[in-house]
Amino acid sequence: AMVERVCTGLVTAERFLLSHAWDASDPGLDPALRSFVTTAELRSQWQKIRQEALRAKGAGWVLELLCDAGAQLELDEFWQTHLTAEAMASTMRNAVGDTFQLL
């Protein structure tokens, strides 16, 4: 039950991040929140670019753009540290009861 709550929270947070306009230059923004909004704005933009790249090109296209001669990176490997909430939730759901879950 706890893992499912966490998974649902991750997906909900990502949806919120991607569906809201973040404007750190808003003059009405509380100065204490400016850093948070700046981070949310950048993360939201990055996540949208990443998702669009995956939709537009699919795995493997980054080889030409990002790899040195002879390197064999795939898009999935490149994005490994930038998983979507759905991918993280799926991984956690599949690991319930597994030793991996404790790591």
Side-chain angles (χ1 to χ4, degrees), residues 63-91:
L63 183 65
E64 179 181 332
L65 298 174
L66 299 175
C67 297
D68 295 328
Q72 296 297 312
L73 290 179
E74 292 288 336
L75 186 60
D76 289 340
E77 293 170 354
F78 176 75
W79 297 131
Q80 185 176 4
T81 59
H82 304 284
L83 297 173
T84 65
E86 289 289 345
M88 285 187 275
S90 176
T91 299

Side-chain angles (χ1 to χ4, degrees), residues 33-51:
L33 292 177
R34 195 165 309 281
S35 292
F36 174 81
V37 172
T38 298
T39 301
E41 182 178 25
L42 293 171
R43 178 62 184 176
S44 177
Q45 289 172 1
W46 168 247
Q47 191 75 354
K48 288 174 184 176
I49 289 168
R50 190 188 80 62
Q51 287 177 350

